[in-house]
Amino acid sequence: MSTQLNNLITWIDNLVWGLPLIILIMAVGIYLTIRLHVLQLIHLPKALKYMVKNEEGGTGEVSSFAALCTALSATIGTGNIVGVATAIVAGGPGALFWMWIAAFFGMATKYAEGLLAIKYRHIDQEGHVLGGPFYYIEKGMGIKFKWLAKLFAFFGACAGLLGIGTFTQVNGISSAVNNFFANSNSATILIFGREYTIAIILTGLIITLCVGLVLIGGLKRISGFAQIVVPFMAIAYVLICIILLINQYKAIPGALVEIFEGAFGIKAISGGALGTIMVAMQKGIARGIFSNESGLGSAPIAAAAAQTKEPVRQGLVSMTGTFIDTIIICTMTGLSIVVTGSWNIGLEGVAVTSSAFQTGLPFEPWVASFLLMICLTFFAFTTIIGWNYYSERCLEYLTDGNQKPLKIFRWLYILAVFIGPYMTIGAVWNIADIFNGLMAFPNLIALIVLSNVIIRESKDYFRRLAAKNNID
């Protein structure tokens, strides 16, 4: 029975994350890119400036930078390490090129999400902010589409609690720590009929305690934590990868050639070029979308809390999230894997990136493994925190602002983190994938329907900005 259930879950996962969803997400990104006149390229310098410069007189709960960091805390995760490795092993180095393409068009999508999140957010009398796809569906498309907004909120709450925010992340952390510290003589304890090492048990307890301390403090503590940890985490990982690339600089030109040749099937055997391109394209785009979450509708939930009065400004800040996640961090991982050749030696998942670190860094192998373990731990931990915020906001919308279910949900979330290390999660990743993918459909429908609003707001903002600059 369990095998049949797992097969059914896998089948649904493949159906949800099949070509139709990938094509739909890419089509929306291309459509918005054309209508916004390649905004993500022309206005990227301005977006990066807005990212660190707070707006004066804005309304909201946290700064734009804090809102971005909250979104990045959920976005930057194990997918940046494991997902990139999986894509390159399955699709070859060319998959990295298609991840770049997905990120480029995804930046336009993320811009639109951030813009709509501010334009249609709800601020109550206490100044509490609630926004995201559920509100721009309800307010932008009309009350008759509230069922679609509720559907998105339900999928979002389930995605956070049932996998991507809890079980999978803490299980990944405890496994990484256990793999580093455990040996054949490690002491074990029997729990739930299975033996677990002391490393797994202690890691689970520490992570649960840390998660509880952050979550009980609410949004301000979450955003404060994110502002400190996310920049540190991202910069530290990028610096490690830069050290690796400097140490392997002679291999970089050849790696770039491999990436572009693989993307277009140039070296494929006669008759197999199209198949090679399709595999690289599908794996690269799918992993890129899963990593940066453009189009899924999660990031605008955090963007809505930003202290701003300009929807376009926050849209620009939001799109830097995709740039940081994929163009910078995923590229660092991908190049590290390709220059060291660890993608085609029979390894899978995190073992690929681990091999790249051990081979490419000028340190002892155990030091390289330790650095990767620390990065994985921070990446997964911040995802736990970020997805709690997302799922709580979804539940708050579902319950019309009732705070009692939120308190119960928060403790259930902490409980899920506590039991995560002891779960066999063969189907949990697939369940999380399913709910994550299902979030995209209501969100993408809203982006298409409200595209004229996005264009009108953008034109108006840039016209006013140009007029102000001329006066100054």
Side-chain angles (χ1 to χ4, degrees), residues 189-251:
I189 296 177
L190 191 67
I191 300 177
F192 303 133
R194 297 184 63 193
E195 290 188 344
Y196 297 91
T197 65
I198 299 297
I200 287 179
I201 295 168
L202 288 178
T203 301
L205 290 172
I206 293 170
I207 293 298
T208 302
L209 177 62
C210 292
V211 167
L213 290 172
V214 175
L215 297 189
I216 291 171
L219 171 61
K220 291 192 182 297
R221 186 175 292 179
I222 291 173
S223 63
F225 167 83
Q227 282 186 90
I228 296 171
V229 174
V230 170
F232 164 78
M233 171 185 76
I235 291 170
Y237 183 74
V238 169
L239 285 176
I240 292 169
C241 291
I242 288 174
I243 292 171
L244 185 153
L245 294 173
I246 291 173
N247 194 49
Q248 302 289 322
Y249 73 94
K250 291 182 180 178

Side-chain angles (χ1 to χ4, degrees), residues 37-247:
H37 305 295
V38 201
L39 168 142
Q40 66 268 49
L41 188 62
I42 296 171
H43 294 290
L44 180 59
K46 188 184 280 86
L48 294 171
K49 175 185 174 182
Y50 287 167
M51 183 180 74
V52 294
K53 183 181 179 182
N54 292 332
E55 180 182 351
E56 296 180 4
T59 302
E61 291 191 69
V62 296
S63 68
S64 290
F65 181 69
L68 174 65
C69 287
T70 303
L72 283 174
S73 69
T75 304
I76 299 175
T78 52
N80 295 81
I81 296 176
V82 182
V84 176
T86 302
I88 293 176
V89 168
L96 184 59
F97 172 85
W98 294 109
M99 289 186 79
W100 295 335
I101 297 299
F104 176 75
F105 292 114
M107 287 173 70
T109 305
K110 192 70 74 74
Y111 164 81
E113 291 175 330
L115 184 157
L116 293 175
I118 296 298
K119 181 171 178 59
Y120 293 109
R121 66 183 173 177
H122 172 72
I123 303 178
D124 62 23
Q125 294 180 346
E126 288 77 33
H128 179 57
V129 178
L130 183 62
F134 28 79
Y135 265 108
Y136 56 71
I137 290 172
E138 178 187 333
K139 291 185 174 183
M141 295 175 61
I143 194 68
K144 64 182 178 181
F145 288 100
K146 190 169 183 176
W147 64 271
L148 191 64
K150 293 276 189 182
L151 199 61
F152 173 88
F154 172 75
F155 292 147
C158 290
L161 183 62
L162 296 179
I164 197 165
T166 54
F167 302 136
T168 53
Q169 304 303 327
V170 71
N171 198 281
I173 294 172
S174 59
S175 296
V177 173
N178 182 63
N179 290 339
F180 182 79
F181 286 105
N183 56 56
S184 57
N185 297 319
S186 297
T188 60
I189 296 177
L190 191 67
I191 300 177
F192 303 133
R194 297 184 63 193
E195 290 188 344
Y196 297 91
T197 65
I198 299 297
I200 287 179
I201 295 168
L202 288 178
T203 301
L205 290 172
I206 293 170
I207 293 298
T208 302
L209 177 62
C210 292
V211 167
L213 290 172
V214 175
L215 297 189
I216 291 171
L219 171 61
K220 291 192 182 297
R221 186 175 292 179
I222 291 173
S223 63
F225 167 83
Q227 282 186 90
I228 296 171
V229 174
V230 170
F232 164 78
M233 171 185 76
I235 291 170
Y237 183 74
V238 169
L239 285 176
I240 292 169
C241 291
I242 288 174
I243 292 171
L244 185 153
L245 294 173
I246 291 173
N247 194 49

Side-chain angles (χ1 to χ4, degrees), residues 172-173 176-177 203 207 372-382:
I173 294 172
V177 173
T203 301
I207 293 298
L372 184 62
M373 178 196 72
I374 293 297
C375 291
L376 269 170
T377 299
F378 273 111
F379 279 26
F381 183 78
T382 55

Side-chain angles (χ1 to χ4, degrees), residues 217-436:
L219 171 61
K220 291 192 182 297
R221 186 175 292 179
I222 291 173
S223 63
F225 167 83
Q227 282 186 90
I228 296 171
V229 174
V230 170
F232 164 78
M233 171 185 76
I235 291 170
Y237 183 74
V238 169
L239 285 176
I240 292 169
C241 291
I242 288 174
I243 292 171
L244 185 153
L245 294 173
I246 291 173
N247 194 49
Q248 302 289 322
Y249 73 94
K250 291 182 180 178
I252 293 177
L256 293 174
V257 170
E258 276 192 276
I259 290 168
F260 285 99
E261 286 183 345
F264 299 102
I266 294 172
K267 274 195 166 183
I269 299 172
S270 179
L274 182 59
T276 301
I277 295 171
M278 290 304 296
V279 173
M281 187 183 297
Q282 183 177 359
K283 298 299 180 183
I285 291 174
R287 287 296 96 187
I289 291 168
F290 189 81
S291 176
N292 60 53
E293 299 180 7
S294 296
L296 301 190
S298 51
I301 299 173
Q307 293 169 344
T308 181
K309 57 178 183 271
E310 293 286 1
V312 169
R313 194 182 194 281
Q314 186 56 39
L316 291 171
V317 173
S318 293
M319 83 177 189
T320 63
T322 298
F323 179 79
I324 293 168
D325 175 88
T326 306
I327 302 298
I328 296 178
I329 297 179
C330 287
T331 296
M332 290 291 103
T333 303
L335 282 176
S336 298
I337 289 169
V338 178
V339 298
T340 56
S342 64
W343 63 276
N344 62 352
I345 57 176
L347 299 176
E348 294 183 355
V350 71
V352 177
T353 314
S354 180
S355 174
F357 274 40
Q358 291 175 1
T359 303
L361 286 170
F363 312 128
E364 292 293 324
W366 73 267
V367 176
S369 296
F370 177 77
L371 291 173
L372 184 62
M373 178 196 72
I374 293 297
C375 291
L376 269 170
T377 299
F378 273 111
F379 279 26
F381 183 78
T382 55
T383 299
I384 294 172
I385 303 302
W387 267 95
N388 170 262
Y389 178 73
Y390 288 163
S391 51
E392 282 196 16
R393 298 290 75 76
C394 289
L395 184 64
E396 190 171 357
Y397 180 80
L398 283 172
T399 59
D400 296 320
N402 189 337
Q403 295 298 306
K404 287 184 179 179
L406 282 180
K407 293 178 180 177
I408 297 171
F409 181 89
R410 191 170 297 169
W411 284 107
L412 287 174
Y413 199 91
I414 294 170
L415 177 63
V417 171
F418 175 73
I419 66 175
Y422 313 113
M423 294 188 65
T424 53
I425 57 166
V428 172
W429 262 114
N430 285 339
I431 293 172
D433 275 358
I434 290 168
F435 283 119
N436 216 0

